[in-house]
Amino acid sequence: MRAAAAPENMDNYLRALDINVVLRKLVCLLKPDKEIIHTGDHMVIRTITSLRDYVMDFDLGVQFEEDLGPVDGRKCQTTVSWEGDQLVCEQLGEKRNRGWRHWLEGDQLHLRMTAEDEVCVQVFQKVK
Protein backbone atom coordinates (compact mmCIF):
# COMPACT_ATOMS: atom_id res chain seq x y z
CA MET A 1 0.00 0.00 0.00
CA ARG A 2 1.23 3.50 -0.82
CA ALA A 3 0.08 6.76 0.76
CA ALA A 4 -2.56 8.18 -1.58
CA ALA A 5 -2.46 11.77 -0.28
CA ALA A 6 -1.07 13.91 2.50
CA PRO A 7 -2.42 12.88 5.91
CA GLU A 8 -5.07 15.04 7.57
CA ASN A 9 -3.97 16.79 10.81
CA MET A 10 -0.55 15.08 11.01
CA ASP A 11 1.22 18.17 12.41
CA ASN A 12 -1.18 18.49 15.36
CA TYR A 13 -1.05 14.74 16.00
CA LEU A 14 2.77 14.85 16.12
CA ARG A 15 2.65 17.94 18.33
CA ALA A 16 0.47 15.98 20.79
CA LEU A 17 3.32 13.41 20.89
CA ASP A 18 5.84 16.21 21.67
CA ILE A 19 7.69 15.77 18.36
CA ASN A 20 9.93 18.76 17.61
CA VAL A 21 8.95 21.16 14.84
CA VAL A 22 11.74 20.15 12.41
CA LEU A 23 10.86 16.46 12.57
CA ARG A 24 7.13 17.28 12.31
CA LYS A 25 7.72 19.20 9.08
CA LEU A 26 9.79 16.32 7.63
CA VAL A 27 7.21 13.69 8.57
CA CYS A 28 4.40 15.74 7.02
CA LEU A 29 6.24 15.62 3.67
CA LEU A 30 6.67 11.83 3.66
CA LYS A 31 4.54 9.47 1.58
CA PRO A 32 5.05 6.13 3.33
CA ASP A 33 4.46 2.66 2.01
CA LYS A 34 2.72 0.14 4.26
CA GLU A 35 3.15 -3.64 4.13
CA ILE A 36 0.95 -5.92 6.24
CA ILE A 37 1.63 -9.63 6.64
CA HIS A 38 -1.08 -11.63 8.41
CA THR A 39 -0.55 -15.30 9.28
CA GLY A 40 -3.10 -16.76 11.68
CA ASP A 41 -2.98 -14.67 14.88
CA HIS A 42 0.41 -13.16 14.00
CA MET A 43 0.93 -9.89 12.12
CA VAL A 44 3.84 -7.82 10.91
CA ILE A 45 3.15 -4.22 9.85
CA ARG A 46 5.98 -2.38 8.13
CA THR A 47 5.81 1.36 7.51
CA ILE A 48 8.50 2.28 5.01
CA THR A 49 9.69 5.84 4.38
CA SER A 50 12.77 7.59 3.01
CA LEU A 51 13.47 8.91 6.55
CA ARG A 52 13.21 5.64 8.52
CA ASP A 53 11.23 2.44 8.65
CA TYR A 54 9.09 1.18 11.52
CA VAL A 55 8.15 -2.48 12.05
CA MET A 56 5.46 -3.82 14.39
CA ASP A 57 5.66 -7.59 14.94
CA PHE A 58 2.94 -8.95 17.25
CA ASP A 59 0.31 -11.54 18.07
CA LEU A 60 -3.31 -10.39 17.95
CA GLY A 61 -4.93 -9.85 21.35
CA VAL A 62 -1.65 -10.23 23.27
CA GLN A 63 -0.26 -7.17 25.10
CA PHE A 64 3.43 -6.45 24.44
CA GLU A 65 5.94 -3.71 25.18
CA GLU A 66 6.26 -1.59 22.07
CA ASP A 67 9.43 0.45 21.67
CA LEU A 68 8.38 3.66 19.94
CA GLY A 69 11.92 5.03 20.11
CA PRO A 70 12.02 5.63 16.34
CA VAL A 71 8.75 7.58 16.59
CA ASP A 72 8.84 9.61 19.81
CA GLY A 73 11.31 7.96 22.19
CA ARG A 74 8.66 6.28 24.36
CA LYS A 75 7.72 2.74 25.28
CA CYS A 76 4.14 1.66 25.84
CA GLN A 77 2.05 -1.41 26.48
CA THR A 78 0.35 -2.22 23.18
CA THR A 79 -2.51 -4.54 22.27
CA VAL A 80 -3.76 -5.01 18.71
CA SER A 81 -7.03 -6.83 18.03
CA TRP A 82 -9.93 -7.03 15.62
CA GLU A 83 -13.10 -5.02 16.29
CA GLY A 84 -15.42 -6.12 13.52
CA ASP A 85 -13.58 -5.41 10.27
CA GLN A 86 -11.17 -2.90 11.85
CA LEU A 87 -7.70 -3.66 13.21
CA VAL A 88 -7.47 -1.65 16.45
CA CYS A 89 -4.32 -0.78 18.39
CA GLU A 90 -4.35 0.54 21.97
CA GLN A 91 -1.06 2.00 23.21
CA LEU A 92 -1.01 2.53 26.99
CA GLY A 93 1.70 4.81 28.32
CA GLU A 94 2.49 8.48 28.91
CA LYS A 95 0.02 9.80 26.32
CA ARG A 96 -3.73 9.55 26.83
CA ASN A 97 -5.94 8.10 24.09
CA ARG A 98 -3.01 6.83 22.01
CA GLY A 99 -3.54 4.24 19.30
CA TRP A 100 -4.74 3.64 15.77
CA ARG A 101 -7.28 1.83 13.57
CA HIS A 102 -6.83 0.27 10.13
CA TRP A 103 -9.69 -0.71 7.82
CA LEU A 104 -10.17 -1.44 4.14
CA GLU A 105 -12.55 0.27 1.73
CA GLY A 106 -12.14 -1.23 -1.71
CA ASP A 107 -8.48 -0.88 -2.75
CA GLN A 108 -7.79 1.69 0.01
CA LEU A 109 -6.38 1.10 3.47
CA HIS A 110 -7.50 3.75 5.96
CA LEU A 111 -5.46 4.65 9.05
CA ARG A 112 -6.86 6.72 11.93
CA MET A 113 -4.25 7.61 14.58
CA THR A 114 -5.07 9.26 17.92
CA ALA A 115 -3.03 10.86 20.69
CA GLU A 116 -4.50 13.02 23.44
CA ASP A 117 -7.32 14.94 21.68
CA GLU A 118 -5.75 14.86 18.20
CA VAL A 119 -6.81 12.63 15.31
CA CYS A 120 -4.82 12.08 12.12
CA VAL A 121 -6.25 10.23 9.12
CA GLN A 122 -4.22 8.79 6.26
CA VAL A 123 -5.30 6.76 3.25
CA PHE A 124 -3.12 4.23 1.42
CA GLN A 125 -3.77 2.93 -2.09
CA LYS A 126 -3.13 -0.70 -2.98
CA VAL A 127 -0.11 -1.05 -5.27
CA LYS A 128 -0.76 -3.50 -8.12
Side-chain angles (χ1 to χ4, degrees), residues 5 26-27 54 56 60 95 99 105 109-111 115 120:
L26 281 171
V27 170
Y54 183 72
M56 282 184 77
L60 291 165
K95 293 296 181 176
E105 290 182 13
L109 175 71
H110 293 255
L111 171 61
C120 174

Side-chain angles (χ1 to χ4, degrees), residues 68-118:
L68 292 162
V71 178
D72 65 2
R74 294 183 173 92
K75 290 185 179 182
C76 61
Q77 294 301 309
T78 299
T79 306
V80 182
S81 57
W82 289 107
E83 285 184 15
D85 62 353
Q86 295 188 8
L87 189 63
V88 178
C89 174
E90 182 179 22
Q91 297 167 314
L92 302 174
E94 295 176 31
K95 293 296 181 176
R96 179 180 55 78
N97 191 35
R98 185 169 185 176
W100 50 258
R101 291 177 174 266
H102 274 300
W103 68 94
L104 288 170
E105 290 182 13
D107 282 346
Q108 293 185 326
L109 175 71
H110 293 255
L111 171 61
R112 180 183 188 271
M113 299 178 289
T114 59
E116 301 290 329
D117 295 320
E118 297 299 334

Side-chain angles (χ1 to χ4, degrees), residues 7-18:
E8 296 175 22
N9 202 38
M10 179 65 87
D11 190 66
N12 287 335
Y13 168 78
L14 295 172
R15 186 178 292 124
L17 293 174
D18 305 318

Side-chain angles (χ1 to χ4, degrees), residues 18-85:
D18 305 318
I19 305 296
N20 72 61
V21 67
V22 174
L23 188 53
R24 286 197 322 261
K25 297 302 177 196
L26 281 171
V27 170
C28 287
L29 295 173
L30 296 175
K31 291 201 173 202
D33 288 341
K34 181 118 6 205
E35 177 182 272
I36 300 174
I37 301 167
H38 183 196
T39 308
D41 285 341
H42 187 80
M43 293 190 90
V44 177
I45 300 176
R46 294 181 63 217
T47 304
I48 304 156
T49 73
S50 56
L51 183 62
R52 70 172 56 130
D53 298 345
Y54 183 72
V55 178
M56 282 184 77
D57 189 328
F58 58 91
D59 291 318
L60 291 165
V62 178
Q63 188 176 73
F64 64 97
E65 182 175 83
E66 183 178 9
D67 183 358
L68 292 162
V71 178
D72 65 2
R74 294 183 173 92
K75 290 185 179 182
C76 61
Q77 294 301 309
T78 299
T79 306
V80 182
S81 57
W82 289 107
E83 285 184 15
D85 62 353

